[in-house]
Amino acid sequence: MSLNAPVSRARITAIGSYVPDKVLSNADLERLVDTNDEWIVQRTGIQERRIAADDEFTSHLAIRAVADLADRYHVRLDDVDLVLVATHTPDLPFPSVACLLQAHFSMNAAGALDVNATCAGFTYALHLANGLISAGIHRKILVVGADAMSKITDYSDRSTCILFGDGAGALLVERDDEHPAFLAAHIGADGSGGKHVYRTGIASTLNGQPLEGSGKVVQNGREVYKFAVTTVPKGMEQLLAASGLTLADIDWFVPHSANLRIIDSICEKSGLSFEKALYSLVYYGNTSAASIPLALDLGVREGRVQPGDTLMLYGFGGGLAHAGLIVKWG
């Protein structure tokens, strides 16, 4: 869905992130399945991933990321009026992770909603936050991307268990009529491709076809790769057209950290220098909805992302869904 440049009245004012302490290295995976470090790095770029403790779930990851945001930026949370959590690994079917987060921080004036667009969930949630604030419905929205992928990973399947890690990232989006930051948006989906990456739950069929998986992630990596490297560059073109910008105007590209080969192919097909890409996969793995805010926060902490920088964020994943944004940082 192509969108014109949005009439934005919103700006990102704070960021925070969290990953669990436990490290699962490629050497650790060699003891679980038939794989090795060289094979994993060559195909994915991943060296390590962080794994939640047995009693640590998505809400706990989200709480730690929001606490990091509040501590670093010294911001109030009691006047947040909406909590959006992008996740597809909620602790429970309900209450939502957003409700658990709202209760923990006593954000008593806030509504709470989980957004499930898998690995594109964070960019979808940011898009919603900008729209709701710019429409005058809300003034201060907490947007969180959090997933505990280890809880739904089949560690006997060497094609998927090498990919996933756990983590969370959070942004605060606030009303700002003088310095709006959202310059363009592009969202879309190809629901017919849902069979290529899924997790079974209540249903055991999809479009009449039986599913496998027993509650674990099942993925046709080749088809997901094809979707990403064809869809995302086209979406990037739409973003640039809507914003009136060129690739030269983009300071940093922050795609979903699925694997390094996908990011490299997207950069090559779009004509964007790979040196402008920020990613979180090397030491965190594919953290689904958390991967973009984790990568962005790494850039902020390392001093690479500076106030005034123009960022292109792009999520893609199960659904198959995708969403991109161009935003000004700081």
Side-chain angles (χ1 to χ4, degrees):
M1 176 179 167
S2 298
L3 303 172
N4 294 323
V7 178
S8 178
R9 294 183 174 86
R11 182 171 66 91
I12 298 166
T13 58
I15 188 170
S17 63
Y18 170 75
V19 292
D21 293 331
K22 181 181 177 181
V23 174
L24 181 66
S25 68
N26 290 346
D28 295 328
L29 286 169
E30 290 178 13
R31 295 188 281 271
L32 294 177
V33 291
D34 181 17
T35 192
N36 60 70
D37 177 72
E38 181 181 5
W39 189 89
I40 296 171
V41 172
Q42 183 181 45
R43 285 162 178 77
T44 70
I46 299 169
Q47 298 180 28
E48 298 175 352
R49 31 305 312 106
R50 298 297 184 93
I51 304 298
D54 290 344
D55 59 351
E56 188 176 31
F57 298 95
T58 299
S59 68
H60 303 112
L61 307 180
I63 287 168
R64 294 290 292 271
V66 173
D68 178 58
L69 177 153
D71 289 344
R72 286 163 59 190
Y73 289 83
H74 308 291
V75 293
R76 293 176 54 188
L77 297 177
D78 59 351
D79 58 346
V80 167
D81 54 21
L82 181 63
V83 180
L84 296 176
V85 177
T87 187
H88 65 97
T89 59
D91 305 28
L92 304 160
F94 57 88
S96 67
V97 175
C99 280
L100 298 176
L101 194 61
Q102 186 248 23
H104 180 86
F105 289 101
S106 299
M107 295 179 283
N108 299 324
L113 175 69
D114 281 1
V115 178
N116 181 358
T118 61
C119 305
F122 188 75
T123 42
Y124 263 89
L126 268 183
H127 177 57
L128 290 173
N130 174 58
L132 290 167
I133 289 175
S134 299
I137 300 171
H138 291 275
R139 295 195 63 86
K140 191 172 183 179
I141 300 179
L142 186 64
V143 180
V144 181
D147 272 310
M149 293 299 295
S150 65
K151 308 297 185 185
I152 62 167
T153 296
D154 181 354
Y155 285 98
S156 67
D157 178 4
R158 71 170 188 163
S159 67
T160 57
C161 74
I162 64 172
L163 299 174
F164 298 115
D166 304 333
L171 294 180
L172 195 60
V173 185
E174 299 188 61
R175 177 87 177 197
D176 191 330
D177 294 304
E178 299 299 322
H179 305 97
F182 289 77
L183 307 183
H186 178 73
I187 63 172
D190 176 11
S192 67
K195 60 187 177 183
H196 296 311
V197 54
Y198 62 84
R199 176 168 70 97
T200 54
I202 294 173
S204 59
T205 62
L206 179 64
N207 297 328
Q209 299 299 312
L211 300 174
E212 302 174 356
S214 301
K216 304 296 184 182
V217 173
V218 177
Q219 176 171 273
N220 182 332
R222 181 172 297 179
E223 291 299 323
V224 175
Y225 174 89
K226 286 166 57 178
F227 166 75
V229 301
T230 56
T231 303
V232 175
K234 293 178 182 177
M236 293 167 69
E237 290 181 4
Q238 296 288 338
L239 285 171
L240 293 172
S243 64
L245 300 176
T246 69
L247 283 177
D249 297 314
I250 303 300
D251 294 299
W252 297 106
F253 175 49
V254 195
H256 165 48
S257 284
N259 75 55
L260 214 53
R261 294 175 71 181
I262 288 179
I263 296 173
D264 186 51
S265 294
I266 289 171
C267 289
E268 182 180 356
K269 288 181 179 292
S270 66
L272 184 72
S273 169
F274 182 76
E275 301 302 316
K276 288 188 173 184
L278 298 178
Y279 44 87
S280 54
L281 60 86
V282 177
Y283 297 109
Y284 299 157
N286 179 341
T287 53
S288 192
S291 78
I292 288 176
L294 284 175
L296 179 55
D297 201 21
L298 283 172
V300 171
R301 290 173 186 267
E302 293 168 358
R304 289 188 287 170
V305 176
Q306 293 291 317
D309 281 356
T310 302
L311 314 177
M312 181 184 287
L313 317 180
Y314 216 112
F316 53 88
L320 299 167
H322 64 99
L325 296 166
I326 295 179
V327 300
K328 282 284 185 181
W329 181 251

